[in-house]
Amino acid sequence: MLDALLLRRPSPVLPAGLAPGSLLDRALGAYLGLAIGDALGATVEFMTPREIAAKHGVHRHMSGGGWLKLAPGQVTDDTTMSLALGKAILEADGWCMRAVAEAFVAWLRGKPVDCGNTCRRGIRRYMADGSHAGPAGDGDAGNGAVMRNLPVVLATLHDEPAFEARSLAQAHFTHHNALSDAATLICGRLLRRLLHGGRLADCRPLADAFVATHPQFRFQPYPGRASGYVVDTLQTVFHFTFGEAGFEAALIGAVNRGDDADTTAALVGMLHGAQCGAGALPRQWLDKLDRDIAAAIVAQTTALLALAARQRR
Ligand code: MG
Ligand code: MG
């Protein structure tokens, strides 16, 4: 009873008076949904579904732990790299690839709780030679570029050519690969549609058209792999995003597949969160999210939407 009363109070994480269904509600739903997926999934990152079942039954509590020994509600590189990218966009008041590069360097120097190998290699390449992209290669087909692209989508919400160009520019800093590019752009396009008021049902034809032109990403029947290879990641994201009716069920489905669970769940949380809005995010997760991270997300989302409105084309 007390729990029910507490849950009916406005979340301390969200701005007062947030209008349900507003653009800010949907954008915050996406960004906080990404962080929730990251924090929930990190507990079971690199575990198999069988190991998760043996240890947790069904993993559904934001309990921290995992291979990174996280505090409950703590996020990982998926969220903190996104925040670094968003901060660079705001400081440049638009776009400056050098600012993005320096933000990723500062992020790495800040000793993040984790960092993918391909991301680390790309940042170190820039530190050594100042280049904004490495050569295209098969070894760059991880999910590191797609996982952090949300701030670019917000900042370019009313400028599609800028969305495409800047998404690929930030991607190629660490991941220069056609599969990564395709995944980064389709996830961005789905998010754009949701932020512009679409529903996931409206996104499904986009995903189906994407699979028709990029058959490697076919997700029906679901192959069942959820690794950091961007094809496995996206198949899992699409399977649970389109296969489950709501935020909570989709996220629980994704995290219990294990493997790169923080990243698959972050992307599922981003898409479902954009549909349901921040006000409808499950309170047992939203209120447990690291408070400093949640506050940074709220401030950054508001500023990125304002930037997008100023730079509307
Ligand atoms: Mg991570
Ligand atoms: Mg991960």
Side-chain angles (χ1 to χ4, degrees), residues 28-42:
L28 283 174
Y31 215 151
L32 291 165
L34 176 117
I36 287 172
D38 183 3
L40 190 71

Side-chain angles (χ1 to χ4, degrees), residues 38 42 45 68 75-79 114 147 260 262-263:
D38 183 3
E45 189 181 23
L68 293 168
V75 297
T76 74
D77 53 346
D78 307 70
T79 305
D114 66 336
M147 80 181 187
D260 202 359
D262 58 333
T263 305

